[in-house]
Amino acid sequence: MANTIPTRIYLNEEEMPKFWYNLRADMKEKHDPILHPGTLQPVTASDMEAIFCKELVRQELDDSTKMVPIPERLLDFYRAFRPSALIRAYYLEKELGTPAEIYYKFEGTNTSGSHKLNSAGPQAYYAKEEGLETLTTETGAGQWGTAMAMACGFYGLDLTVYMVKVSSEQKPYRKAVMETYGAKVVPSPSDTTDSGKKILEIDPDTGGSLGCAISEAVEMAIKTDKCRYVLGSVLDHVLLHQSVIGLETKAAMDKFGIKPDIIIGCAGGGSNLGGLIAPFMGEKLAGKSNARFIAVEPASCPSLTRGRYVYDFGDTAKTTPLLRMYTLGNGFIPSANHAGGLRYHGMSPILSKLYHDGYIEARSEVQTDVFDAAIRFMKTEGILPAPESSHAIKAAIDEALECKKTGEKKVILFGLSGTGYFDLSAYMQYNAKTLTDKIPSDDDLAKGFASVPDIPQNK
Amino acid sequence: MANTIPTRIYLNEEEMPKFWYNLRADMKEKHDPILHPGTLQPVTASDMEAIFCKELVRQELDDSTKMVPIPERLLDFYRAFRPSALIRAYYLEKELGTPAEIYYKFEGTNTSGSHKLNSAGPQAYYAKEEGLETLTTETGAGQWGTAMAMACGFYGLDLTVYMVKVSSEQKPYRKAVMETYGAKVVPSPSDTTDSGKKILEIDPDTGGSLGCAISEAVEMAIKTDKCRYVLGSVLDHVLLHQSVIGLETKAAMDKFGIKPDIIIGCAGGGSNLGGLIAPFMGEKLAGKSNARFIAVEPASCPSLTRGRYVYDFGDTAKTTPLLRMYTLGNGFIPSANHAGGLRYHGMSPILSKLYHDGYIEARSEVQTDVFDAAIRFMKTEGILPAPESSHAIKAAIDEALECKKTGEKKVILFGLSGTGYFDLSAYMQYNAKTLTDKIPSDDDLAKGFASVPDIPQNK
């Protein structure tokens, strides 16, 4: 098979992006502003700087600069693991017998195992530049914590990671990687913070959630000298950094004249999907593209498909600023039996706005179907995918099979955000046919929604 | 840092090798022939075909064809995970403060986590072409078993993997990956074979060894219909397939006019080192290069540095043909506390011959020093290396520091054959400072040598 389009497309170093793309600058309607939880007024930079690094706050609040230069020393960091490959899924296409062309951008070959390193690098870099000594963060599946551990190791910063308890128990090796890079890992909820203690009082046996872990990490950041908090998803500055995924993908596709018709990503907090679609969505907003965009979320944590578009806290202890986003309520705790890292009650405000305005579609998938798709993918394409990324695989396969029915030769692009190396206990459960899923009932959802703040903006 | 030489060099698809390079064809003195263990005469193709696929036997016995074409459907397989990156270790160089240039070829980004997939593909491909239905093999650290599981999954073959017992206990997730790809994994020694039973009778608590596992896999292959055995290292046809590593590396270096002065690889059975050095050694044998070649082995299993250059069996049960190689004796069982997959008593006949004739240097390293080097590497270069590969890192760092002393600006190339994702229990031991090493005493070695066959050729 001598293909016109190679199986793996890599950019040369000089073709790699030197700027991030700020999609918001091209959105005619911006998302609603972040609100201060006390005053219910739009947050100011100085409000946010109690929690976040200055430059990240500046990026968070800047919705007009379109191209944001990547500092030279950060390009150094990116060069240590980028470019990632854009891969044509010839083997999967053949197995499916589809006329569709399928491409995936594979972010899983760095040691953190996922796309998270794209934002961990900048966040550690700016903290160092600003003279900070310690960072705190949370991690669910472990990818973000590992990425931050690597970045802090690279730039020489201390790091405390609050790891969702159920994940820290399921994934001792994830913990080991973070510790090997020098990070301190605390299973959350813990008794090291007031918010952790409070959650443990209510439910001593909780497996934890990203929402809890965020509360603890933010609390520690506020109480510690020369310390700030970093977040791996949801916020606009994270999506800005992750635009490197989409920019590389688009550059690689442009080289071969490929135009995607459907762009698919899994969506937890939205950083992977937001990064992948950024430049393609920019074209759509400019009327230069008719591409469809599909967010795929777990049926156990369906913030877009079953959530509400309201202002909510980012954490369980209700300490963060308020974001207008699709949310299941900050009190929603997804069932512990889900393997993936998509267990977050909210969703990126940018993606929420785009979904609300009809630019993005969303669907939810149950875990067993997602693993069926993962196995089909790994047996043909060779790569063991992360359960999170496998949500995108499921949708890509479904779209390709739809093309098989209709005979359409569509171009499907999806984000393969990470590997499943550290999720093998989930694969072992799948092999043993003991993997299950728990779809929240309407009652479960009602309980979650009850935690949404009762403020005028939500009337 | 705008570097003349990019951090990561990838070949384009059309630059990828279409041929393997058979180094033996350029060796004026060939290694001694493989002997039939019964007749002590050079084996014939038909002798070997009881155990191995026909085409692999043909390759094994062919020491004159220099360039061996890679079949088109195998190039398909390679395209699923190749090319691998050649990486300039700018960050490590800086940390060491060395004037040396350090490059490494990273084979660890495919799901098997190592270079082993380069030979697993061809071995499964030829088996399928020849109408076989089942393959058997052994695995130590698990890389080879995983690679074969992937390749058999790709080509549609059954696979039974005898996994060294101590590894199967230390690495349940490795087992899970193999099983997810559809392989059957049997901890070795087992009661499924006569040779396994015999070893268990002598030492029911043995942690096993590659030598034992090979005996079991060979026995099953011989006793099963439409079944053959495959080996992941040592033999010439494996080194032939692995030459793809060196060919890609050389093509990437040639593009930028880089000439390595020192080429380093870890050496267990020799497949990684043999593959990496092939085209460079070809130049040296032709008098066109003065490069130095360094094999790095664990102090706990020092076949080159403390072994004997004699005919020995490849397995503990003394069932395989006899290979003239550096060996610690087929009865030598390295201590179970070593984390790496370099626990094999013998060494590739090609590398043994080159070492014997002075073309290759060898050194052995203790485990704790190797992990020190691994940590230094992962904190600067980002990648979590396999313990095996970290032996090469240790030597590369030592050579770079030597350059720092002398001020020489040498070009150092080493093979980073795999990732440490599945060796995290070893890293956890390292972090807890409980990692140890056991260097065999002269008595231990004498016991091993006592198992070397007493045949005229060994006088």
Side-chain angles (χ1 to χ4, degrees):
Chain A
M1 172 166 62
N3 301 307
T4 327
I5 294 167
T7 310
R8 301 170 87 83
I9 307 175
Y10 285 105
L11 297 180
N12 297 323
E13 198 160 289
E14 65 272 20
E15 295 168 326
M16 283 169 63
K18 305 276 185 299
F19 291 81
W20 291 302
Y21 170 56
N22 187 5
L23 176 60
R24 275 176 305 168
D26 283 332
M27 288 169 71
K28 270 156 229 149
E29 279 191 52
K30 317 294 181 189
H31 64 69
D32 291 307
I34 303 175
L35 300 184
H36 188 287
T39 64
L40 299 185
Q41 294 303 307
V43 288
T44 62
S46 71
D47 290 338
M48 292 193 78
E49 285 168 6
I51 305 176
F52 295 102
C53 299
K54 284 195 178 117
E55 176 59 22
L56 298 174
V57 170
R58 210 198 51 70
Q59 291 178 355
E60 186 65 26
L61 299 178
D62 177 359
D63 60 10
S64 60
T65 309
K66 192 168 160 174
M67 302 307 289
V68 179
I70 306 172
E72 194 55 38
R73 279 193 57 214
L74 250 177
L75 287 174
D76 273 357
F77 185 82
Y78 279 173
R79 284 184 199 112
F81 65 99
R82 306 203 66 83
S84 66
L86 176 69
I87 304 175
R88 171 76 182 268
Y90 282 115
Y91 314 101
L92 180 62
E93 287 171 20
K94 196 176 159 195
E95 205 258 326
L96 298 174
T98 177
E101 290 180 15
I102 307 174
Y103 296 85
Y104 54 100
K105 179 73 167 168
F106 182 33
E107 292 288 313
T109 58
N110 69 74
T111 284
S112 81
S114 83
H115 70 292
K116 294 288 184 184
L117 206 51
N118 299 327
S119 186
Q123 298 205 40
Y125 167 80
Y126 292 122
K128 187 72 181 179
E129 289 286 299
E130 293 173 21
L132 298 173
E133 292 173 0
T134 309
L135 292 174
T136 70
T137 195
E138 77 295 327
T139 201
Q143 281 99 335
W144 172 245
T146 313
M148 275 310 304
M150 290 176 68
C152 286
F154 192 86
Y155 289 111
L157 287 159
D158 289 337
L159 176 71
T160 299
V161 180
Y162 288 90
M163 185 170 188
V164 175
K165 193 184 276 170
V166 59
S167 287
S168 75
E169 286 161 2
Q170 280 169 359
K171 302 184 177 183
Y173 290 162
R174 268 285 178 198
K175 194 163 166 274
V177 180
M178 291 184 258
E179 288 172 348
T180 305
Y181 276 105
K184 188 179 161 196
V185 181
V186 183
S188 167
S190 76
D191 59 7
T192 67
T193 64
D194 293 339
S195 43
K197 283 178 201 161
K198 209 164 150 186
I199 293 162
L200 284 173
E201 265 170 38
I202 299 166
D203 182 3
D205 298 324
T206 176
S209 70
L210 274 178
C212 307
I214 292 173
S215 298
E216 294 206 78
V218 170
E219 184 183 328
M220 182 191 154
I222 292 170
K223 290 180 177 169
T224 308
D225 195 37
K226 294 202 179 177
C227 178
R228 289 293 184 284
Y229 164 73
V230 289
L231 183 68
S233 192
V234 182
L235 294 178
D236 292 7
H237 66 269
V238 182
L239 267 71
L240 175 72
H241 306 151
Q242 293 295 355
S243 69
V244 71
I245 305 172
L247 291 165
E248 273 189 12
T249 304
K250 192 163 183 310
M253 290 191 135
D254 285 350
K255 272 172 80 166
F256 290 90
I258 308 159
K259 294 255 172 240
D261 298 307
I262 305 174
I263 302 173
I264 300 167
C266 63
S271 75
N272 151 64
L273 179 64
L276 175 68
I277 68 172
F280 300 101
M281 182 58 78
E283 289 197 329
K284 185 172 174 112
L285 294 175
K288 292 181 193 160
S289 152
N290 286 317
R292 284 170 56 204
F293 297 83
I294 304 174
V296 193
E297 55 185 15
S300 61
C301 196
S303 32
L304 288 173
T305 50
R306 296 175 72 195
R308 290 186 187 159
Y309 189 46
V310 289
Y311 271 103
D312 196 8
F313 293 98
D315 70 330
T316 312
K318 307 185 192 235
T319 58
T320 67
L322 293 162
L323 304 174
R324 181 142 188 231
M325 59 182 175
Y326 279 86
T327 178
L328 297 164
N330 61 73
F332 179 82
I333 296 195
S335 71
N337 65 348
H338 194 276
L342 307 176
R343 308 171 77 246
Y344 186 63
H345 66 274
M347 180 58 64
S348 145
I350 293 178
L351 293 184
S352 291
K353 175 68 177 160
L354 290 168
Y355 177 61
H356 187 249
D357 292 351
Y359 291 105
I360 295 180
E361 305 161 37
R363 61 182 70 167
S364 72
E365 299 289 353
V366 297
Q367 187 161 235
T368 38
D369 292 346
V370 166
F371 272 81
D372 285 343
I375 299 293
R376 196 163 186 178
F377 177 79
M378 75 183 277
K379 287 201 173 162
T380 49
E381 291 292 313
I383 297 166
L384 179 78
E388 296 88 333
S389 322
S390 303
H391 288 75
I393 296 173
K394 168 72 170 79
I397 289 176
D398 287 347
E399 292 297 324
L401 291 176
E402 186 59 31
C403 286
K404 188 176 179 178
K405 269 192 218 157
T406 62
E408 284 174 290
K409 197 177 148 56
K410 287 190 180 160
V411 176
I412 299 168
L413 164 67
F414 71 90
L416 189 69
S417 54
T419 71
Y421 291 133
F422 294 96
D423 297 285
L424 283 162
S425 54
Y427 279 95
M428 284 162 86
Q429 285 175 43
Y430 177 88
N431 291 343
K433 299 194 195 304
T434 58
L435 196 70
T436 56
D437 205 352
K438 185 172 173 295
I439 300 171
S441 66
D442 289 342
D443 272 2
D444 293 334
L445 291 188
K447 276 180 213 160
F449 292 138
S451 64
V452 169
D454 183 22
I455 58 174
Q457 287 82 350
N458 281 348
K459 300 295 176 193
Chain B
M1 173 164 62
N3 301 307
T4 328
I5 293 165
T7 310
R8 304 169 84 84
I9 308 175
Y10 285 105
L11 299 179
N12 298 323
E13 197 161 291
E14 65 273 21
E15 296 168 326
M16 283 168 63
K18 305 277 185 298
F19 291 80
W20 291 303
Y21 170 56
N22 187 4
L23 176 60
R24 276 176 303 166
D26 283 332
M27 288 168 71
K28 270 156 227 149
E29 279 190 52
K30 316 293 183 190
H31 65 68
D32 292 306
I34 302 173
L35 299 184
H36 187 286
T39 64
L40 300 185
Q41 294 302 306
V43 287
T44 62
S46 71
D47 291 337
M48 292 193 77
E49 286 167 6
I51 303 175
F52 295 101
C53 300
K54 283 194 177 119
E55 177 60 21
L56 297 174
V57 170
R58 208 197 54 67
Q59 292 178 354
E60 185 65 27
L61 299 178
D62 177 0
D63 60 10
S64 60
T65 309
K66 193 167 159 174
M67 302 308 288
V68 179
I70 305 172
E72 194 54 38
R73 278 193 58 214
L74 250 178
L75 287 174
D76 273 357
F77 185 82
Y78 279 173
R79 283 184 201 112
F81 64 101
R82 305 203 67 82
S84 66
L86 175 69
I87 304 175
R88 172 76 182 269
Y90 282 114
Y91 314 101
L92 180 63
E93 288 172 21
K94 197 176 160 194
E95 205 259 324
L96 298 175
T98 177
E101 290 179 17
I102 308 174
Y103 297 85
Y104 54 99
K105 180 73 168 169
F106 182 33
E107 293 288 314
T109 58
N110 69 73
T111 284
S112 80
S114 84
H115 70 292
K116 294 289 185 183
L117 206 52
N118 299 327
S119 186
Q123 299 206 39
Y125 168 80
Y126 292 123
K128 187 71 182 179
E129 290 286 297
E130 292 172 22
L132 298 173
E133 292 171 0
T134 309
L135 292 174
T136 71
T137 195
E138 78 295 328
T139 201
Q143 281 98 334
W144 172 245
T146 313
M148 276 309 303
M150 290 176 69
C152 287
F154 192 86
Y155 288 111
L157 286 159
D158 288 337
L159 175 71
T160 299
V161 181
Y162 287 90
M163 185 170 190
V164 176
K165 193 185 276 172
V166 60
S167 286
S168 76
E169 286 161 3
Q170 281 169 358
K171 303 183 177 186
Y173 290 162
R174 269 285 179 198
K175 194 163 166 275
V177 180
M178 290 185 258
E179 288 172 347
T180 305
Y181 276 106
K184 188 180 162 195
V185 181
V186 183
S188 166
S190 75
D191 60 5
T192 66
T193 64
D194 292 340
S195 42
K197 284 179 201 163
K198 209 164 151 187
I199 293 163
L200 283 174
E201 267 171 35
I202 299 167
D203 182 2
D205 298 324
T206 177
S209 71
L210 274 178
C212 307
I214 292 173
S215 299
E216 294 205 78
V218 170
E219 184 183 329
M220 183 191 155
I222 292 170
K223 289 181 176 167
T224 308
D225 196 37
K226 294 201 180 177
C227 178
R228 290 291 185 284
Y229 165 73
V230 289
L231 184 67
S233 191
V234 182
L235 294 179
D236 293 6
H237 67 270
V238 181
L239 268 72
L240 175 71
H241 306 151
Q242 294 295 355
S243 69
V244 72
I245 305 172
L247 292 165
E248 273 188 14
T249 304
K250 191 161 185 309
M253 289 191 135
D254 285 350
K255 271 172 81 166
F256 290 90
I258 308 158
K259 294 253 171 240
D261 298 305
I262 305 173
I263 303 172
I264 300 167
C266 64
S271 74
N272 153 64
L273 179 64
L276 176 68
I277 69 173
F280 300 101
M281 182 58 80
E283 287 196 333
K284 184 170 175 116
L285 295 175
K288 292 180 193 161
S289 152
N290 287 318
R292 284 169 57 204
F293 296 83
I294 304 174
V296 193
E297 55 186 16
S300 61
C301 196
S303 33
L304 288 172
T305 50
R306 296 175 73 194
R308 291 186 187 159
Y309 189 46
V310 290
Y311 271 104
D312 195 8
F313 292 98
D315 70 331
T316 313
K318 308 186 190 231
T319 58
T320 67
L322 292 161
L323 303 174
R324 180 139 187 233
M325 60 182 175
Y326 280 87
T327 178
L328 297 164
N330 61 73
F332 179 83
I333 296 195
S335 73
N337 65 347
H338 195 276
L342 308 176
R343 308 170 76 246
Y344 186 63
H345 67 273
M347 180 58 65
S348 144
I350 293 177
L351 293 184
S352 292
K353 174 70 177 160
L354 291 168
Y355 177 62
H356 188 251
D357 291 351
Y359 291 105
I360 295 179
E361 304 161 37
R363 62 182 70 166
S364 72
E365 300 290 352
V366 297
Q367 188 161 235
T368 39
D369 292 346
V370 166
F371 272 80
D372 285 344
I375 299 293
R376 197 165 187 177
F377 177 80
M378 74 183 278
K379 287 199 174 164
T380 49
E381 291 293 314
I383 297 167
L384 179 78
E388 297 88 332
S389 321
S390 302
H391 288 75
I393 295 173
K394 169 72 170 79
I397 288 177
D398 287 347
E399 291 298 323
L401 291 176
E402 186 59 30
C403 286
K404 188 177 180 179
K405 267 191 218 156
T406 62
E408 285 174 290
K409 198 178 146 54
K410 289 189 181 162
V411 176
I412 299 168
L413 164 68
F414 72 90
L416 188 69
S417 53
T419 71
Y421 292 133
F422 294 97
D423 296 286
L424 282 162
S425 54
Y427 279 95
M428 285 161 86
Q429 285 175 42
Y430 177 88
N431 291 341
K433 300 196 192 304
T434 58
L435 196 71
T436 58
D437 205 353
K438 187 174 174 293
I439 300 171
S441 67
D442 288 343
D443 272 4
D444 292 335
L445 291 189
K447 275 180 212 160
F449 292 139
S451 64
V452 169
D454 182 22
I455 57 174
Q457 287 85 347
N458 281 348
K459 300 295 174 196

